[in-house]
Amino acid sequence: MAKHILIVDDSKTVRNLVAFIMKKEGFTVTVAEDGLDALEKLYSRETFDLIISDVNMPRMDGFTFIRTVREQEAYTDIPIMVLSTEGQERDIQKGLNLGANLYMVKPADPERMVRNVKMLLG
Ligand SMILES: [Mg+2]
């Protein structure tokens, strides 16, 4: 069965682009508009194989989303890759400290994104 990726970004353009890139690689994708939407989608399924999350989003930002996901035992192992325009060292450290496995800064090279996703999926 194809690996299922949850893509979280408030930008429709980014969501569609990342979804397109991942679908082309044969992954199944679900998109969410912000952290709250992503949590609802996470809770409505058993799990996802990987999450790609933006940081700056309305209602619930990516850092809060990641912290909330990691606080729950069922989701401690799900790989999370941040994809954000926030590229300062303190933002990257914050994301990793909250439990993200990898932090990519936008604009990210699609091939590198795919390589990282495959690496995280092991
Ligand atoms: Mg955003």
Side-chain angles (χ1 to χ4, degrees), residues 8-11 54-58 83 85 106:
V8 192
D9 202 299
D10 60 321
S11 159
D54 184 24
V55 170
N56 293 324
M57 296 181 284
L83 184 60
T85 50
K106 292 176 189 165

Coordinates of all heavy atoms in Angstrom, one line a residue, residues 8-11 54-58 83 85 106, ligand 1:
V8 N 0.6 19.9 5.6 CA -0.1 20.9 6.3 C 0.5 22.3 5.9 O 1.7 22.6 6.2 CB 0.1 20.7 7.9 CG1 -0.9 21.6 8.6 CG2 -0.1 19.3 8.2
D9 N -0.3 23.1 5.3 CA 0.2 24.5 4.9 C -1.0 25.4 4.7 O -2.0 24.9 4.1 CB 1.1 24.4 3.7 CG 2.0 25.6 3.6 OD1 1.5 26.7 3.5 OD2 3.2 25.4 3.6
D10 N -1.0 26.6 5.1 CA -2.1 27.5 4.9 C -2.1 28.1 3.5 O -3.1 28.7 3.0 CB -2.2 28.6 5.9 CG -0.9 29.5 5.9 OD1 0.2 28.9 5.7 OD2 -1.0 30.7 6.0
S11 N -1.0 27.9 2.8 CA -0.9 28.4 1.4 C -1.4 27.3 0.4 O -0.8 26.2 0.4 CB 0.5 28.8 1.0 OG 0.7 28.8 -0.4
D54 N 4.1 23.2 7.6 CA 4.5 24.6 7.6 C 4.6 25.1 9.0 O 4.2 24.4 10.0 CB 3.3 25.4 6.9 CG 3.6 26.8 6.7 OD1 4.8 27.2 6.7 OD2 2.6 27.6 6.5
V55 N 5.1 26.3 9.3 CA 5.2 26.9 10.6 C 4.1 27.9 10.8 O 3.2 27.9 11.6 CB 6.6 27.4 11.0 CG1 6.5 28.2 12.3 CG2 7.6 26.3 11.1
N56 N 4.2 29.0 9.9 CA 3.3 30.1 10.1 C 1.9 29.8 9.4 O 1.8 29.7 8.2 CB 3.9 31.4 9.4 CG 5.1 31.9 10.1 OD1 5.2 31.8 11.3 ND2 6.0 32.3 9.4
M57 N 0.9 29.6 10.3 CA -0.4 29.3 9.9 C -1.4 29.9 10.9 O -1.1 30.0 12.0 CB -0.7 27.8 9.8 CG 0.2 27.0 8.8 SD -0.1 25.3 8.8 CE 0.7 24.7 10.3
P58 N -2.6 30.3 10.4 CA -3.7 30.8 11.3 C -4.2 29.7 12.2 O -4.0 28.5 11.9 CB -4.7 31.3 10.4 CG -4.5 30.6 9.1 CD -3.1 30.3 9.0
L83 N 8.5 22.4 6.7 CA 8.8 23.1 5.5 C 8.3 24.5 5.7 O 7.1 24.8 5.6 CB 8.0 22.4 4.3 CG 8.3 22.9 2.9 CD1 9.7 22.8 2.5 CD2 7.4 22.1 1.9
T85 N 9.3 29.0 5.6 CA 10.1 30.2 5.2 C 10.9 30.7 6.4 O 11.9 31.4 6.1 CB 9.2 31.4 4.7 OG1 8.2 31.6 5.7 CG2 8.5 31.1 3.4
K106 N 11.9 26.9 2.9 CA 11.3 27.3 1.6 C 12.1 28.4 1.0 O 12.5 29.3 1.7 CB 9.8 27.8 1.8 CG 8.8 26.7 2.2 CD 7.5 27.4 2.4 CE 6.5 26.6 3.0 NZ 5.3 27.3 3.5
Ligands
MG1 MG 2.2 29.6 6.2

